[in-house]
C-alpha cells in the first residue's frame, strides 16, 4: 500500500499544498505548530474518513468557509486508485473513489489502510480504558466494514437509551420503549463482542512475537480481552452472547434507572497485558510499558498486513524522538518494509532514512 500524492485545499493550516511521496520512508520535519501532525491526520483521514484528533469535521476546515478538500492517489490492491474527500460547513461531506461518488465508508474499505503511532500511545497500557478501546476499534474498523457499521449503530442506540434514562422522570411513558432499545443493544453488542474476541486474540498473538524479540526472549506478553462479566466465552455463538448480555443488563436494571445511564455492555470493554504473569498496568515499569506499546502497534500493522495481504502505511507522529536509542533501533528495524511517515522537529535527525520534506506554516519548502 503506497500513497503517491496528496493534495490539500483549505485543510487546517494548509491553504493549497501538493505532496509527492517516497514509497519507503518519508520524513516530515519542521518547527512546532507548522502542520506536521495535520499532514499525518490528513493521510489517516483519506482512508478512514476519520481524524485521530477530532470527531468534528468542521475543525479540519481552514479559514475559507466554502469547502475543504483532501485528495490522494495511491497504489493498493494491485492498482492505481484515488480517493477524494470534500467537506462543507453545514452540509454532508462527499467522498469520491476513482472519481465516482460513494455513499458509505464501507465502499472504500481496505482501499487505504493506516496505522498511527503517537507519543500518547506509549502509555496506552497504563491509561484509561477509552484509549485502549480506541486503539482496537480503529484497527478493527479498517479490517472489517461490518464491524464499523455495528459500532456506529451501537453508539446510536446507546445514546438514545441514555436519553430515555435521563428523560424518563419528566416523561415516565418513555420506560415503555426501553425494552426495545435493550433488545437492540444486546443484538448489536453481541456482534461487537464476537468481532473483538477474534481481533484481540490475533493482536495478542502477534504482539507476543514482537515483545519476545524486543525483550531478548525474557518476557512473555499475554493480552486478555475483558468484556461483560456474564459472558463466559466471547468466542461463543452470537445468540449465546446476546442471551448472556441480556442477563447482565437485567441484573443492572435498577442501577441504570438510579444512575440515569446505561451501565452494561461492550462500550465498557477493555483489555490488559501481563508480562511473564505480572499485570503491566499495576506493576509495569515505564520502559516495559513503552516496549509493550511498541509491540502492540507493530502487531496491529502486522495483523492488518496478514489479513489484507498489503502492509498498511505507518504514521509515526513524533514518536521516535520520544524513544531511547535501543527502542528507536528496534522500531526502525521493523519498518523497513512498506511506506512510513515520520514527523520530527529536528531537521537532521533521521535524514538518512528516506525522503525529507520540510513544512513551514502549512507550506512545503522546496
Ligand atoms: P508540533 O511539533 O508542536 O507537534 P506540528 O507541526 O505537528 O507541531 P500541527 O499540530 O500539525 O503542528 O499544526 C498546528 C497548527 O495548525 C497550529 O498552529 C494551529 O493553529 C493550526 N490549525 C489547526 N487547525 C486549524 C484550522 N482548522 N484552521 C487553521 N489552522 C489550524
Ligand atoms: Mg505535531
Amino acid at each position: 500500500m503506497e500513497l503517491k500524492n496528496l493534495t490539500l485545499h483549505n485543510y487546517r493550516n494548509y491553504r493549497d499544498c501538493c505532496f509527492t511521496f517516497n514509497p519507503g520512508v518519508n520524513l516530515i520535519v519542521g518547527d512546532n505548530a507548522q502542520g506536521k501532525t495535520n499532514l499525518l491526520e490528513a493521510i489517516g483521514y483519506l482512508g478512514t474518513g476519520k481524524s485521530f484528533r477530532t470527531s468534528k469535521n468542521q475543525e479540519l476546515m481552514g479559514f475559507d468557509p466554502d469547502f475543504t478538500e483532501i485528495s490522494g492517489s495511491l497504489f493498493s490492491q494491485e492498482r492505481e486508485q484515488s480517493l477524494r474527500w470534500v467537506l462543507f460547513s453545514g452540509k454532508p461531506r462527499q467522498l469520491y473513489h476513482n472519481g465516482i461518488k460513494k455513499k458509505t465508508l464501507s465502499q472504500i474499505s481496505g482501499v487505504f489502510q493506516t496505522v498511527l503511532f503517537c507519543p500518547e500511545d506509549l502509555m496506552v497500557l497504563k491509561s484509561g480504558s477509552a484509549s485502549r478501546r480506541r486503539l482496537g476499534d480503529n484497527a478493527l474498523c479498517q479490517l472489517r466494514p461490518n464491524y464499523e457499521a455495528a459500532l456506529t449503530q451501537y453508539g446510536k442506540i446507546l445514546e438514545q437509551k441514555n436519553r430515555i434514562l435521563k428523560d424518563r422522570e419528566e416523561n415516565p411513558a418513555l420506560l415503555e420503549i426501553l425494552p426495545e432499545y435493550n433488545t437492540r443493544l444486546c443484538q448489536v453488542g453481541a456482534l461487537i463482542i464476537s468481532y473483538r474476541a477474534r481481533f484481540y486474540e490475533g493482536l495478542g498473538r502477534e504482539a507476543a512475537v514482537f515483545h519476545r524479540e524486543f525483550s531478548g526472549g525474557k518476557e512473555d506478553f499475554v493480552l486478555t480481552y475483558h468484556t461483560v462479566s456474564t459472558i463466559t466465552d466471547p468466542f461463543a455463538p452470537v445468540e449465546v452472547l446476546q442471551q448472556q448480555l441480556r442477563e447482565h443488563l437485567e441484573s443492572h436494571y435498577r442501577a441504570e434507572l438510579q444512575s440515569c445511564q446505561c451501565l452494561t455492555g461492550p462500550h465498557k470493554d477493555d483489555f490488559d497485558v501481563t508480562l511473564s504473569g505480572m499485570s503491566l498496568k499495576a506493576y509495569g515499569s515505564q520502559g516495559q510499558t513503552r516496549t509493550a506499546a511498541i509491540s502492540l502497534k507493530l502487531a496491529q500493522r502486522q495483523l492488518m498486513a496478514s489479513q489484507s495481504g498489503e502492509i498498511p502505511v505507518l504514521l509515526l507522529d513524533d514518536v521516535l524522538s520520544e524513544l531511547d536509542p535501543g527502542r528507536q533501533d528496534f522500531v526502525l528495524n521493523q519498518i523497513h518494509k512498506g511506506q512510513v511517515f515520520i514527523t520530527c522537529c529536528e531537521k537532521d535527525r533521521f535524514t538518512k532514512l528516506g525522503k525529507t520534506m520540510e513544512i513551514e506554516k502549512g507550506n512545503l519548502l522546496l
Side-chain angles (χ1 to χ4, degrees):
M1 210 160 267
E2 179 195 338
L3 181 62
K4 297 188 144 200
N5 303 295
L6 183 77
T7 305
L8 302 174
H9 167 72
N10 188 40
Y11 163 79
R12 291 218 187 250
N13 67 334
Y14 290 89
R15 203 163 280 274
D16 279 294
C17 204
C18 292
F19 299 86
T20 302
F21 300 120
N22 193 3
V25 175
N26 294 274
L27 283 163
I28 316 295
V29 300
D31 293 338
N32 294 131
Q34 302 305 305
K36 302 182 299 296
T37 303
N38 290 348
L39 174 60
L40 294 200
E41 182 189 38
I43 296 173
Y45 192 92
L46 190 67
T48 59
K50 290 196 195 79
S51 153
F52 59 81
R53 294 200 290 194
T54 177
S55 57
K56 299 185 185 102
N57 283 321
Q58 187 66 39
E59 282 178 23
L60 307 179
M61 299 189 70
F63 297 114
D64 174 358
D66 287 349
F67 73 99
T68 287
E69 191 174 332
I70 303 169
S71 64
S73 58
L74 38 118
F75 189 82
S76 80
Q77 300 165 325
E78 298 172 4
R79 62 187 196 276
E80 306 277 340
Q81 308 205 50
S82 71
L83 287 168
R84 176 169 164 242
W85 289 95
V86 192
L87 278 51
F88 304 93
S89 3
K91 68 173 186 174
R93 63 186 180 175
Q94 294 172 352
L95 162 65
Y96 296 84
H97 176 215
N98 298 334
I100 298 163
K101 201 167 169 183
K102 300 287 169 185
K103 283 212 174 85
T104 61
L105 266 177
S106 62
Q107 291 177 290
I108 58 156
S109 171
V111 171
F112 183 53
Q113 296 182 324
T114 52
V115 172
L116 170 86
F117 193 7
C118 61
E120 298 87 85
D121 292 329
L122 287 167
M123 293 313 281
V124 74
L125 292 163
K126 286 261 191 199
S127 50
S129 61
S131 47
R132 280 183 294 280
R133 274 193 300 277
R134 234 184 345 262
L135 182 146
D137 284 345
N138 181 291
L140 246 174
C141 283
Q142 292 195 68
L143 281 169
R144 302 267 178 265
N146 291 343
Y147 176 80
E148 172 149 45
L151 198 63
T152 309
Q153 205 186 351
Y154 186 86
K156 283 185 188 154
I157 308 168
L158 183 66
E159 205 184 308
Q160 285 157 348
K161 177 176 167 180
N162 279 331
R163 195 162 312 135
I164 292 172
L165 288 168
K166 282 200 178 76
D167 293 349
R168 52 118 199 155
E169 278 186 352
E170 281 174 26
N171 185 0
L174 282 174
L175 278 184
E176 285 169 27
I177 53 169
L178 195 58
E180 189 190 319
Y181 281 90
N182 281 340
T183 302
R184 285 169 60 205
L185 216 49
C186 291
Q187 281 166 347
V188 187
L191 205 58
I192 289 174
I193 291 169
S194 183
Y195 274 113
R196 283 183 180 166
R198 282 154 187 82
F199 167 72
Y200 283 119
E201 189 192 41
L203 187 72
R205 197 177 45 239
E206 297 288 354
V209 176
F210 283 111
H211 198 88
R212 197 167 309 121
E213 190 184 333
F214 209 161
S215 66
K218 286 194 219 112
E219 290 172 351
D220 270 334
F221 179 112
V222 176
L223 185 151
T224 311
Y225 166 50
H226 300 287
T227 185
V228 176
S229 63
T230 45
I231 292 192
T232 45
D233 173 17
F235 291 91
V238 174
E239 301 72 43
V240 176
L241 299 179
Q242 205 174 311
Q243 184 50 37
Q244 292 178 336
L245 264 182
R246 180 167 280 286
E247 282 164 26
H248 199 258
L249 214 144
E250 279 165 6
S251 69
H252 285 71
Y253 181 71
R254 288 202 169 282
E256 288 193 340
L257 288 184
Q258 266 164 9
S259 65
C260 299
Q261 56 176 315
C262 178
L263 299 172
T264 141
H267 56 289
K268 306 247 171 198
D269 281 1
D270 199 359
F271 66 87
D272 70 7
V273 167
T274 56
L275 295 180
S276 305
M278 297 264 275
S279 158
L280 188 73
K281 190 160 191 184
Y283 304 109
S285 72
Q286 261 237 15
Q288 284 174 314
T289 309
R290 289 172 155 239
T291 305
I294 295 170
S295 304
L296 261 186
K297 278 286 161 182
L298 294 173
Q300 183 187 334
R301 191 180 192 221
Q302 183 63 41
L303 192 67
M304 288 165 78
S306 53
Q307 299 209 1
S308 73
E310 289 187 275
I311 305 173
V313 170
L314 185 63
L315 309 172
L316 298 177
D317 190 20
D318 260 343
V319 83
L320 279 188
S321 32
E322 286 282 320
L323 300 176
D324 57 59
R327 290 187 173 85
Q328 261 179 27
D329 284 348
F330 185 80
V331 174
L332 291 174
N333 281 334
Q334 302 292 337
I335 61 169
H336 44 77
K337 276 193 246 147
Q339 194 178 31
V340 184
F341 290 82
I342 298 172
T343 68
C344 69
C345 291
E346 304 96 321
K347 289 181 187 122
D348 307 316
R349 185 93 179 260
F350 303 107
T351 40
K352 59 180 187 308
L353 293 174
K355 177 176 178 176
T356 301
M357 279 160 272
E358 188 171 352
I359 308 285
E360 194 181 275
K361 294 185 187 149
N363 288 298
L364 178 62
L365 297 186
L366 297 169

